[in-house]
Amino acid sequence: MTKSDLMALQDKYVLGTYAPTLMLVRGQGARAWDVDGKEYIDFTTGISVCSLGHCHPAVTEAIQRQAARLVHVSNLFFNEFQPQLAAAISRHSFDGRVFFGNSGAEANEGLIKFARMHGSKNGRHEIVCMQGSFHGRTLATLAATSRAKYREGFQPDMPGFSFIPFNDVEKLREAVTDKTAAILLEPIQGEGGIYAASHEFLLAARELCDRHGILLMYDEVQSGMGRSGRFFAYQHHAIEPDAMSIAKALGNGYPIGAFIVQRKHEKVLGAGKHASTFGGTPLACAAALAVIETIDRQDLLTNCQEMGEHLRGALVQLASKYPTIKEVRGRGLIVGVEMTVPVADAIKKAAERGLLILNAGDNVFRFLPPLNLTKKDLDEAMSIFDTVLGDL
């Protein structure tokens, strides 16, 4: 089929909830190619999903091998990879037990159900959330997401969620009541503009939860799996949650999500209390195991830290050149550049020049390159970005 044939099918049969402009057909490492053969440096990685780059050979081999053996059996049976993956997640985070789903929204739905079940014995069901948060597009995760535009037309909102300013310790203390079941936050807000939680804020949240017997829950869907230079972003502070959601980069493009709860909470969601038909299939778990093994074997956390420093340094230099750059922030390879002007047109211009980047709000560029990024690709990307800023 020609490109025009495919676009006609897209327009006629695919629900128009997205507005794509490029048709990408191939990827390798930090590079992607469109249907016309044009090459791009991909600093979107599928929105923090392909953190090992496109078509990493270890993940590709694991998927191909397992697809020929066993794809799906349902959770009515054991599969050999699910317990290995659960152990690997616990080993890289905290001692706990894992539930497997398919996406970040599903993982966060699980956290919400976990919090309500935990609080139900004491009449607690409300969850304190953060302004600037994003937790998904289901009705419950939308209700936990602060940006009202995502909820327009879907009201009434699911009750039981309140919002406070991110990193405001006093507002957090005021928000906890005898109805509060949990505090839910992203250690690094992604969609909200690349804002990191302060140590003081996380410490206050942990102390409040311990004092009131409620849950501290982290959404590490975007910031986890090495993105910040640590396996999970909360580890920069060593302040553990009671539960945590994971998805996106867990399968490097193969759909899989999960949440892990501290072992002391393992009986909160017992048999029959939560389920997922496709969660934790042999194929998905084999892919995710290959991801974790590759991060460890290739020491990609170190590379993420080093390339992250280089990226932020290059962006700070550009900030001294272009007064439209207001602030550079982030950790590892989750980096935001706040501008004094909207960024939508510049993102289009960058794509025209061969660099794919994202926004995080109207005036923030979001950089999410792969963890195995090379200095050569990074320098080339910054050269393109420099040119784009010069054209603004």
Side-chain angles (χ1 to χ4, degrees), residues 244-280:
M244 176 177 69
S245 59
I246 316 162
K248 287 192 180 290
L250 182 57
N252 204 60
Y254 195 93
I256 182 170
F259 65 88
I260 178 171
V261 304
Q262 291 274 3
R263 190 165 297 279
K264 63 185 176 182
H265 300 306
E266 64 182 8
K267 297 188 184 301
V268 172
L269 290 176
K273 294 297 184 183
H274 195 46
S276 171
T277 297
F278 293 105

CSV table of all heavy atoms in Angstrom, one decimal, residues 244-280:
chain,number,residue,atom,x,y,z
A,244,MET,N,3.9,0.9,44.6
A,244,MET,CA,4.5,1.7,43.5
A,244,MET,C,4.0,1.1,42.2
A,244,MET,O,4.0,-0.1,42.0
A,244,MET,CB,6.0,1.6,43.6
A,244,MET,CG,6.7,2.3,42.4
A,244,MET,SD,8.5,2.3,42.7
A,244,MET,CE,8.9,0.5,42.5
A,245,SER,N,3.7,2.0,41.2
A,245,SER,CA,3.3,1.5,39.9
A,245,SER,C,4.4,1.6,38.9
A,245,SER,O,5.3,2.5,39.1
A,245,SER,CB,2.1,2.3,39.4
A,245,SER,OG,2.4,3.7,39.3
A,246,ILE,N,4.5,0.7,38.0
A,246,ILE,CA,5.5,0.6,37.0
A,246,ILE,C,4.9,0.3,35.6
A,246,ILE,O,3.9,-0.5,35.6
A,246,ILE,CB,6.5,-0.5,37.3
A,246,ILE,CG1,6.9,-0.5,38.8
A,246,ILE,CG2,7.8,-0.4,36.4
A,246,ILE,CD1,7.5,-1.8,39.2
A,247,ALA,N,5.4,0.8,34.6
A,247,ALA,CA,4.9,0.4,33.2
A,247,ALA,C,5.9,0.9,32.2
A,247,ALA,O,7.1,0.8,32.4
A,247,ALA,CB,3.5,0.9,33.0
A,248,LYS,N,5.4,1.5,31.1
A,248,LYS,CA,6.2,2.1,30.0
A,248,LYS,C,7.4,1.3,29.7
A,248,LYS,O,7.3,0.3,29.0
A,248,LYS,CB,6.5,3.6,30.4
A,248,LYS,CG,5.3,4.5,30.2
A,248,LYS,CD,5.7,5.9,30.3
A,248,LYS,CE,4.5,6.9,30.1
A,248,LYS,NZ,3.9,6.9,28.8
A,249,ALA,N,8.6,1.7,30.3
A,249,ALA,CA,9.8,1.0,29.8
A,249,ALA,C,10.0,-0.4,30.4
A,249,ALA,O,11.0,-1.0,30.0
A,249,ALA,CB,11.0,1.9,30.3
A,250,LEU,N,9.1,-0.9,31.1
A,250,LEU,CA,9.3,-2.2,31.7
A,250,LEU,C,9.4,-3.3,30.6
A,250,LEU,O,10.2,-4.2,30.7
A,250,LEU,CB,8.1,-2.6,32.6
A,250,LEU,CG,8.1,-3.9,33.3
A,250,LEU,CD1,9.3,-4.1,34.2
A,250,LEU,CD2,6.8,-4.1,34.2
A,251,GLY,N,8.7,-3.1,29.5
A,251,GLY,CA,8.8,-4.1,28.4
A,251,GLY,C,9.5,-3.5,27.2
A,251,GLY,O,9.5,-4.2,26.1
A,252,ASN,N,10.1,-2.3,27.3
A,252,ASN,CA,10.7,-1.7,26.1
A,252,ASN,C,9.9,-1.7,24.9
A,252,ASN,O,10.4,-1.8,23.7
A,252,ASN,CB,12.1,-2.3,25.8
A,252,ASN,CG,13.0,-1.4,25.1
A,252,ASN,OD1,13.4,-0.3,25.7
A,252,ASN,ND2,13.5,-1.7,23.9
A,253,GLY,N,8.6,-1.5,25.0
A,253,GLY,CA,7.7,-1.4,23.9
A,253,GLY,C,6.7,-2.5,23.9
A,253,GLY,O,5.6,-2.4,23.3
A,254,TYR,N,7.0,-3.7,24.5
A,254,TYR,CA,6.0,-4.7,24.7
A,254,TYR,C,5.1,-4.3,25.8
A,254,TYR,O,5.6,-4.1,26.9
A,254,TYR,CB,6.6,-6.1,24.9
A,254,TYR,CG,5.6,-7.2,24.6
A,254,TYR,CD1,5.4,-7.8,23.4
A,254,TYR,CD2,4.6,-7.5,25.6
A,254,TYR,CE1,4.5,-8.7,23.1
A,254,TYR,CE2,3.7,-8.4,25.4
A,254,TYR,CZ,3.6,-9.0,24.1
A,254,TYR,OH,2.6,-9.9,23.9
A,255,PRO,N,3.8,-4.3,25.7
A,255,PRO,CA,2.9,-3.8,26.7
A,255,PRO,C,2.9,-4.6,28.0
A,255,PRO,O,2.6,-5.8,28.0
A,255,PRO,CB,1.5,-3.8,26.1
A,255,PRO,CG,1.7,-3.9,24.6
A,255,PRO,CD,3.0,-4.6,24.4
A,256,ILE,N,3.3,-4.0,29.1
A,256,ILE,CA,3.2,-4.6,30.4
A,256,ILE,C,3.3,-3.5,31.5
A,256,ILE,O,4.0,-2.6,31.3
A,256,ILE,CB,4.4,-5.6,30.6
A,256,ILE,CG1,4.3,-6.3,32.0
A,256,ILE,CG2,5.7,-5.0,30.4
A,256,ILE,CD1,5.2,-7.5,32.2
A,257,GLY,N,2.5,-3.7,32.5
A,257,GLY,CA,2.5,-2.8,33.6
A,257,GLY,C,2.4,-3.6,34.9
A,257,GLY,O,2.2,-4.8,34.9
A,258,ALA,N,2.7,-3.0,36.0
A,258,ALA,CA,2.7,-3.7,37.3
A,258,ALA,C,2.6,-2.8,38.4
A,258,ALA,O,2.9,-1.6,38.3
A,258,ALA,CB,4.0,-4.5,37.4
A,259,PHE,N,2.2,-3.3,39.6
A,259,PHE,CA,2.4,-2.5,40.8
A,259,PHE,C,2.9,-3.5,41.9
A,259,PHE,O,2.7,-4.7,41.9
A,259,PHE,CB,1.2,-1.8,41.3
A,259,PHE,CG,0.0,-2.6,41.7
A,259,PHE,CD1,-0.1,-3.1,43.0
A,259,PHE,CD2,-1.0,-2.9,40.8
A,259,PHE,CE1,-1.2,-3.8,43.4
A,259,PHE,CE2,-2.1,-3.7,41.1
A,259,PHE,CZ,-2.2,-4.2,42.4
A,260,ILE,N,3.8,-3.0,42.8
A,260,ILE,CA,4.4,-3.7,43.8
A,260,ILE,C,4.0,-3.1,45.2
A,260,ILE,O,3.9,-1.9,45.3
A,260,ILE,CB,5.9,-3.8,43.7
A,260,ILE,CG1,6.5,-4.6,44.8
A,260,ILE,CG2,6.5,-2.4,43.5
A,260,ILE,CD1,8.0,-4.9,44.6
A,261,VAL,N,3.6,-4.0,46.1
A,261,VAL,CA,3.3,-3.6,47.5
A,261,VAL,C,4.2,-4.1,48.5
A,261,VAL,O,4.8,-5.2,48.3
A,261,VAL,CB,1.8,-4.0,47.8
A,261,VAL,CG1,0.8,-3.4,46.8
A,261,VAL,CG2,1.7,-5.5,47.9
A,262,GLN,N,4.5,-3.4,49.5
A,262,GLN,CA,5.4,-3.9,50.6
A,262,GLN,C,4.8,-5.2,51.1
A,262,GLN,O,3.6,-5.4,51.2
A,262,GLN,CB,5.4,-2.9,51.7
A,262,GLN,CG,6.2,-1.6,51.4
A,262,GLN,CD,7.7,-1.7,51.6
A,262,GLN,OE1,8.2,-2.8,51.9
A,262,GLN,NE2,8.4,-0.6,51.4
A,263,ARG,N,5.7,-6.1,51.5
A,263,ARG,CA,5.3,-7.4,51.9
A,263,ARG,C,4.3,-7.4,53.1
A,263,ARG,O,3.4,-8.2,53.2
A,263,ARG,CB,6.5,-8.3,52.3
A,263,ARG,CG,6.3,-9.7,52.6
A,263,ARG,CD,7.5,-10.5,52.6
A,263,ARG,NE,8.2,-10.5,51.3
A,263,ARG,CZ,7.9,-11.2,50.3
A,263,ARG,NH1,6.9,-12.1,50.3
A,263,ARG,NH2,8.6,-11.1,49.2
A,264,LYS,N,4.4,-6.4,54.0
A,264,LYS,CA,3.5,-6.3,55.1
A,264,LYS,C,2.1,-6.0,54.6
A,264,LYS,O,1.1,-6.2,55.4
A,264,LYS,CB,3.9,-5.2,56.0
A,264,LYS,CG,3.9,-3.8,55.4
A,264,LYS,CD,4.5,-2.8,56.4
A,264,LYS,CE,4.6,-1.4,55.8
A,264,LYS,NZ,5.2,-0.4,56.7
A,265,HIS,N,1.9,-5.6,53.4
A,265,HIS,CA,0.5,-5.4,52.8
A,265,HIS,C,0.1,-6.5,51.9
A,265,HIS,O,-0.9,-6.3,51.2
A,265,HIS,CB,0.5,-4.0,52.1
A,265,HIS,CG,0.9,-2.9,52.9
A,265,HIS,ND1,0.3,-2.5,54.1
A,265,HIS,CD2,1.8,-1.9,52.7
A,265,HIS,CE1,0.8,-1.4,54.6
A,265,HIS,NE2,1.7,-1.0,53.8
A,266,GLU,N,0.7,-7.6,51.9
A,266,GLU,CA,0.5,-8.6,50.8
A,266,GLU,C,-0.9,-9.2,50.9
A,266,GLU,O,-1.4,-9.7,49.9
A,266,GLU,CB,1.5,-9.7,50.9
A,266,GLU,CG,1.5,-10.5,52.2
A,266,GLU,CD,2.6,-11.6,52.2
A,266,GLU,OE1,3.5,-11.6,51.3
A,266,GLU,OE2,2.6,-12.4,53.1
A,267,LYS,N,-1.6,-9.1,52.0
A,267,LYS,CA,-2.9,-9.7,52.2
A,267,LYS,C,-4.1,-8.8,51.9
A,267,LYS,O,-5.2,-9.2,51.9
A,267,LYS,CB,-3.1,-10.4,53.6
A,267,LYS,CG,-2.1,-11.5,53.8
A,267,LYS,CD,-2.4,-12.2,55.1
A,267,LYS,CE,-1.3,-13.3,55.4
A,267,LYS,NZ,-1.3,-14.3,54.4
A,268,VAL,N,-3.7,-7.5,51.6
A,268,VAL,CA,-4.8,-6.5,51.4
A,268,VAL,C,-5.6,-6.9,50.1
A,268,VAL,O,-6.9,-6.8,50.2
A,268,VAL,CB,-4.2,-5.1,51.2
A,268,VAL,CG1,-5.3,-4.1,50.7
A,268,VAL,CG2,-3.5,-4.7,52.5
A,269,LEU,N,-5.0,-7.3,49.1
A,269,LEU,CA,-5.7,-7.7,47.8
A,269,LEU,C,-5.5,-9.2,47.7
A,269,LEU,O,-4.5,-9.7,47.2
A,269,LEU,CB,-5.1,-7.0,46.6
A,269,LEU,CG,-5.5,-5.5,46.5
A,269,LEU,CD1,-4.8,-4.9,45.2
A,269,LEU,CD2,-7.0,-5.3,46.4
A,270,GLY,N,-6.4,-10.0,48.3
A,270,GLY,CA,-6.3,-11.4,48.3
A,270,GLY,C,-6.9,-12.0,47.1
A,270,GLY,O,-7.3,-11.3,46.1
A,271,ALA,N,-7.1,-13.3,47.1
A,271,ALA,CA,-7.6,-14.1,46.0
A,271,ALA,C,-9.0,-13.6,45.6
A,271,ALA,O,-9.9,-13.4,46.4
A,271,ALA,CB,-7.7,-15.6,46.3
A,272,GLY,N,-9.1,-13.3,44.3
A,272,GLY,CA,-10.4,-12.8,43.7
A,272,GLY,C,-10.7,-11.3,43.9
A,272,GLY,O,-11.7,-10.8,43.4
A,273,LYS,N,-9.8,-10.6,44.5
A,273,LYS,CA,-10.0,-9.1,44.8
A,273,LYS,C,-9.5,-8.2,43.6
A,273,LYS,O,-9.9,-7.1,43.5
A,273,LYS,CB,-9.3,-8.7,46.0
A,273,LYS,CG,-9.9,-9.3,47.3
A,273,LYS,CD,-11.3,-8.9,47.5
A,273,LYS,CE,-11.9,-9.4,48.8
A,273,LYS,NZ,-13.3,-9.0,49.0
A,274,HIS,N,-8.7,-8.8,42.7
A,274,HIS,CA,-8.2,-8.0,41.6
A,274,HIS,C,-7.7,-9.0,40.5
A,274,HIS,O,-7.3,-10.1,40.9
A,274,HIS,CB,-7.0,-7.1,42.0
A,274,HIS,CG,-6.7,-6.0,41.0
A,274,HIS,ND1,-7.7,-5.2,40.4
A,274,HIS,CD2,-5.5,-5.6,40.5
A,274,HIS,CE1,-7.1,-4.4,39.6
A,274,HIS,NE2,-5.8,-4.6,39.6
A,275,ALA,N,-7.8,-8.6,39.3
A,275,ALA,CA,-7.5,-9.6,38.2
A,275,ALA,C,-7.2,-8.9,36.9
A,275,ALA,O,-7.5,-7.7,36.7
A,275,ALA,CB,-8.6,-10.6,38.0
A,276,SER,N,-6.5,-9.6,36.0
A,276,SER,CA,-6.2,-9.1,34.6
A,276,SER,C,-6.1,-10.2,33.7
A,276,SER,O,-5.2,-11.1,33.9
A,276,SER,CB,-5.0,-8.2,34.6
A,276,SER,OG,-4.6,-7.9,33.3
A,277,THR,N,-6.9,-10.3,32.6
A,277,THR,CA,-6.8,-11.4,31.7
A,277,THR,C,-5.4,-11.5,31.1
A,277,THR,O,-4.8,-12.6,31.0
A,277,THR,CB,-7.8,-11.3,30.6
A,277,THR,OG1,-9.1,-11.4,31.2
A,277,THR,CG2,-7.7,-12.4,29.6
A,278,PHE,N,-4.9,-10.4,30.6
A,278,PHE,CA,-3.6,-10.4,29.9
A,278,PHE,C,-2.4,-10.1,30.8
A,278,PHE,O,-1.3,-10.0,30.3
A,278,PHE,CB,-3.7,-9.5,28.7
A,278,PHE,CG,-4.6,-10.0,27.6
A,278,PHE,CD1,-5.8,-9.3,27.5
A,278,PHE,CD2,-4.3,-11.0,26.8
A,278,PHE,CE1,-6.7,-9.7,26.5
A,278,PHE,CE2,-5.2,-11.4,25.8
A,278,PHE,CZ,-6.4,-10.8,25.6
A,279,GLY,N,-2.6,-9.8,32.0
A,279,GLY,CA,-1.5,-9.3,32.9
A,279,GLY,C,-0.5,-10.4,33.1
A,279,GLY,O,-0.8,-11.5,33.6
A,280,GLY,N,0.8,-10.1,32.8
A,280,GLY,CA,1.9,-11.0,33.1
A,280,GLY,C,2.0,-12.2,32.3
A,280,GLY,O,2.3,-13.3,32.8
